[in-house]
Short mmCIF file of all heavy atoms in Angstrom, two decimals:
data_model
loop_
_atom_site.label_atom_id
_atom_site.label_comp_id
_atom_site.label_asym_id
_atom_site.label_seq_id
_atom_site.Cartn_x
_atom_site.Cartn_y
_atom_site.Cartn_z
N PRO A 20 -6.87 -9.02 -1.38
CA PRO A 20 -6.29 -7.80 -0.90
C PRO A 20 -4.88 -7.67 -1.66
O PRO A 20 -3.87 -7.41 -0.92
CB PRO A 20 -6.13 -8.20 0.54
CG PRO A 20 -6.47 -9.53 0.80
CD PRO A 20 -6.99 -10.20 -0.47
N ALA A 72 9.14 -5.57 -6.66
CA ALA A 72 8.02 -5.67 -5.68
C ALA A 72 8.31 -4.65 -4.59
O ALA A 72 9.34 -4.11 -4.40
CB ALA A 72 7.99 -7.10 -5.12
N ALA A 73 7.27 -4.49 -3.75
CA ALA A 73 7.35 -3.54 -2.61
C ALA A 73 8.47 -3.96 -1.64
O ALA A 73 9.14 -3.19 -1.07
CB ALA A 73 5.99 -3.49 -1.84
N THR A 74 8.74 -5.32 -1.58
CA THR A 74 9.79 -5.81 -0.69
C THR A 74 11.11 -5.20 -0.96
O THR A 74 11.92 -4.93 -0.13
CB THR A 74 9.77 -7.35 -0.81
OG1 THR A 74 8.52 -7.80 -0.40
CG2 THR A 74 10.75 -7.97 0.12
N GLY A 75 11.29 -4.98 -2.36
CA GLY A 75 12.59 -4.44 -2.81
C GLY A 75 12.67 -2.91 -2.31
O GLY A 75 13.81 -2.56 -2.01
N TRP A 77 11.37 -1.97 0.75
CA TRP A 77 11.66 -2.12 2.16
C TRP A 77 13.21 -2.16 2.27
O TRP A 77 13.79 -1.43 3.07
CB TRP A 77 11.21 -3.48 2.68
CG TRP A 77 9.79 -3.64 2.95
CD1 TRP A 77 8.82 -2.60 3.11
CD2 TRP A 77 9.09 -4.90 3.34
NE1 TRP A 77 7.61 -3.17 3.46
CE2 TRP A 77 7.75 -4.61 3.57
CE3 TRP A 77 9.58 -6.24 3.39
CZ2 TRP A 77 6.87 -5.59 3.83
CZ3 TRP A 77 8.62 -7.14 3.77
CH2 TRP A 77 7.35 -6.83 3.95
N PHE A 97 3.24 -8.37 7.81
CA PHE A 97 4.10 -7.54 6.79
C PHE A 97 5.00 -6.68 7.65
O PHE A 97 6.24 -6.64 7.27
CB PHE A 97 3.26 -6.76 5.77
CG PHE A 97 2.56 -7.69 4.86
CD1 PHE A 97 1.23 -8.03 4.94
CD2 PHE A 97 3.25 -8.32 3.86
CE1 PHE A 97 0.62 -8.94 4.10
CE2 PHE A 97 2.73 -9.26 3.02
CZ PHE A 97 1.39 -9.55 3.08
N ARG A 100 7.67 -8.93 8.65
CA ARG A 100 8.60 -9.24 7.63
C ARG A 100 9.64 -8.15 7.34
O ARG A 100 10.77 -8.38 6.91
CB ARG A 100 7.87 -9.70 6.29
CG ARG A 100 7.36 -11.07 6.34
CD ARG A 100 6.54 -11.46 5.36
NE ARG A 100 6.82 -11.23 3.91
CZ ARG A 100 6.04 -11.40 2.86
NH1 ARG A 100 4.97 -12.03 3.08
NH2 ARG A 100 6.51 -11.20 1.69
N VAL A 143 4.22 -0.02 9.16
CA VAL A 143 3.28 -0.45 8.05
C VAL A 143 1.94 0.24 8.36
O VAL A 143 1.33 -0.01 9.41
CB VAL A 143 3.17 -2.01 7.87
CG1 VAL A 143 1.91 -2.31 6.92
CG2 VAL A 143 4.45 -2.63 7.44
N SER A 145 -1.26 0.32 6.58
CA SER A 145 -2.45 -0.67 6.56
C SER A 145 -1.87 -2.05 6.55
O SER A 145 -1.32 -2.45 5.55
CB SER A 145 -3.22 -0.28 5.23
OG SER A 145 -4.05 -1.21 5.01
N GLU A 146 -2.08 -2.78 7.62
CA GLU A 146 -1.57 -4.12 7.73
C GLU A 146 -2.57 -5.11 6.97
O GLU A 146 -3.57 -5.51 7.51
CB GLU A 146 -1.45 -4.49 9.27
CG GLU A 146 -0.06 -4.76 9.83
CD GLU A 146 0.72 -5.89 8.88
OE1 GLU A 146 0.19 -6.72 8.16
OE2 GLU A 146 1.97 -5.99 9.15
N THR A 147 -2.02 -5.43 5.83
CA THR A 147 -2.95 -6.30 4.97
C THR A 147 -3.26 -7.61 5.51
O THR A 147 -4.35 -8.24 5.28
CB THR A 147 -2.27 -6.41 3.55
OG1 THR A 147 -1.55 -5.23 3.30
CG2 THR A 147 -3.19 -6.80 2.49
N ASP A 173 5.44 1.99 5.08
CA ASP A 173 4.93 1.16 3.99
C ASP A 173 3.45 1.57 3.85
O ASP A 173 2.69 1.39 4.88
CB ASP A 173 5.09 -0.33 4.51
CG ASP A 173 4.31 -1.32 3.66
OD1 ASP A 173 3.24 -0.99 3.26
OD2 ASP A 173 4.78 -2.46 3.62
N VAL A 175 1.54 0.35 1.20
CA VAL A 175 1.20 -0.51 0.17
C VAL A 175 -0.22 -0.64 -0.11
O VAL A 175 -0.71 -0.50 -1.23
CB VAL A 175 1.90 -1.90 0.31
CG1 VAL A 175 1.32 -2.86 -0.60
CG2 VAL A 175 3.39 -1.81 0.11
N THR A 176 -1.07 -0.83 1.04
CA THR A 176 -2.50 -0.87 0.75
C THR A 176 -3.28 0.29 1.35
O THR A 176 -4.47 0.31 1.46
CB THR A 176 -3.04 -2.16 1.54
OG1 THR A 176 -2.58 -2.37 2.72
CG2 THR A 176 -2.65 -3.37 0.60
N GLY A 196 3.69 -0.78 -3.68
CA GLY A 196 3.87 -1.62 -4.84
C GLY A 196 2.66 -1.32 -5.82
O GLY A 196 1.72 -0.63 -5.40
N GLN A 198 0.51 -3.38 -7.34
CA GLN A 198 -0.61 -4.27 -7.43
C GLN A 198 -1.66 -4.25 -6.39
O GLN A 198 -2.43 -5.16 -6.18
CB GLN A 198 0.05 -5.76 -7.48
CG GLN A 198 0.42 -6.32 -6.14
CD GLN A 198 1.79 -5.84 -5.64
OE1 GLN A 198 2.35 -4.82 -6.07
NE2 GLN A 198 2.37 -6.57 -4.76
N LYS A 199 -1.60 -3.19 -5.62
CA LYS A 199 -2.53 -3.08 -4.50
C LYS A 199 -3.44 -1.88 -4.80
O LYS A 199 -4.25 -1.89 -5.68
CB LYS A 199 -1.75 -2.86 -3.14
CG LYS A 199 -0.78 -4.01 -2.94
CD LYS A 199 -1.27 -5.19 -2.29
CE LYS A 199 -0.30 -6.27 -2.07
NZ LYS A 199 -0.84 -7.39 -1.26
C1 PLP B 1 1.48 -4.02 3.57
C2 PLP B 1 2.30 -4.72 2.67
N1 PLP B 1 3.55 -4.57 2.51
C3 PLP B 1 4.37 -5.21 1.71
C4 PLP B 1 3.92 -6.27 0.89
C5 PLP B 1 4.85 -7.05 0.04
O1 PLP B 1 4.55 -6.67 -1.27
P1 PLP B 1 5.43 -7.33 -2.50
O2 PLP B 1 4.88 -8.71 -2.58
O3 PLP B 1 5.00 -6.44 -3.64
O4 PLP B 1 6.84 -7.22 -2.20
C6 PLP B 1 2.43 -6.55 0.92
C7 PLP B 1 2.00 -7.65 0.05
O5 PLP B 1 0.82 -8.20 0.28
C8 PLP B 1 1.66 -5.77 1.75
O6 PLP B 1 0.32 -6.05 1.88
#
Side-chain angles (χ1 to χ4, degrees):
T74 302
W77 283 347
F97 290 101
R100 276 168 56 178
V143 172
S145 163
E146 243 305 345
T147 322
D173 168 324
V175 167
T176 47
Q198 77 279 21
K199 305 272 180 175

